[in-house]
């Protein structure tokens, strides 16, 4: 998203994610697997992952299963849609979740990537008033997006 050249790391991550398909040990890793699949254009694997997550959600013995339908599946769908360049869908899926990422685990900084997906998708979808509001919300907290907000406000 920041334009940094990471070489073939996304491919390596997608390969590793494919090997872990279906284990669902840490729900935090699932949207990150989807990022690797999406970034490398491996949408068939992202779709298989989503099918596996939906099936796992039906397992009454798995405590993590309760997070699948309300949080993890729509989060992974949003990430997949972002890489499919369906930015409106990404925004629509993430808007209702944006304050609810904490239960999947990880640090605040690690979960912040999902807020960044939301902001970037809103900009790419041309939903600039929403992007401005989201960035203004972030600027109210210490962050590195002040310049992005200022540029967006000047453009409006």
């Amino acid at each position: 998203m920041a334009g940094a050249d990471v070489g073939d790391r996304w491919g390596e991550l997608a390969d590793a994610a494919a090997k872990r398909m279906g284990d669902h040990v840490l729900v935090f890793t699932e949207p990150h697997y989807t990022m690797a699949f999406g970034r490398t254009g491996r949408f068939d694997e992202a779709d298989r992952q989503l099918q596996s997550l939906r099936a796992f959600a039906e397992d009454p013995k798995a405590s993590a299963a309760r997070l699948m339908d309300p949080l993890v599946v729509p989060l992974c769908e949003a990430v997949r849609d972002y890489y499919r360049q369906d930015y409106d869908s990404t925004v629509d899926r993430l808007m209702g979740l944006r304050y609810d990422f904490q239960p999947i685990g990880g640090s605040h900084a690690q979960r912040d990537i999902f807020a960044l997906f939301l902001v970037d998708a809103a900009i790419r979808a041309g939903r600039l008033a929403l992007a401005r509001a989201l960035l203004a919300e972030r600027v109210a907290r210490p962050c590195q997006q002040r310049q992005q907000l200022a540029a967006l406000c000047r453009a409006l």
Side-chain angles (χ1 to χ4, degrees):
M1 218 180 277
D5 181 6
V6 297
D8 192 38
R9 290 186 190 130
W10 280 114
E12 294 170 16
L13 290 171
D15 291 343
K19 291 177 186 172
R20 303 299 303 239
M21 181 90 65
D23 70 8
H24 311 305
V25 173
L26 295 171
V27 295
F28 177 72
T29 60
E30 296 296 342
H32 291 81
Y33 292 165
T34 311
M35 283 181 223
F37 294 141
R39 185 65 177 88
T40 57
R42 293 162 67 168
F43 298 112
D44 57 334
E45 289 177 278
D47 290 337
R48 279 198 302 277
Q49 176 198 21
L50 284 162
Q51 288 174 332
S52 180
L53 290 170
R54 289 182 190 105
F56 181 70
E58 302 299 320
D59 184 350
K61 294 178 249 161
S63 62
R66 66 180 174 74
L67 293 174
M68 293 300 138
D69 284 334
L71 182 57
V72 178
V73 169
L75 184 53
C76 290
E77 288 171 334
V79 170
R80 178 205 57 200
D81 292 350
Y82 178 89
Y83 286 110
R84 283 185 173 159
Q85 299 181 0
D86 187 348
Y87 302 117
D88 279 312
S89 177
T90 301
V91 170
D92 293 342
R93 291 181 194 280
L94 290 178
M95 277 302 293
L97 302 174
R98 72 184 193 279
Y99 300 122
D100 298 328
F101 300 139
Q102 196 275 334
I104 67 170
S107 69
H108 292 292
Q110 289 171 317
R111 290 187 306 268
D112 192 49
I113 187 67
F114 309 123
L116 298 177
F117 270 103
L118 175 57
V119 169
D120 195 60
I123 292 168
R124 291 173 184 263
R127 294 163 77 170
L128 301 183
L130 174 61
R132 182 176 56 187
L134 292 167
L135 285 166
E137 183 178 86
R138 290 179 63 80
V139 169
R141 303 180 308 243
C143 74
Q144 297 176 340
Q145 293 184 309
R146 293 190 201 307
Q147 292 175 345
Q148 190 177 14
L149 175 61
L152 185 60
C153 289
R154 285 190 300 272
L156 292 178

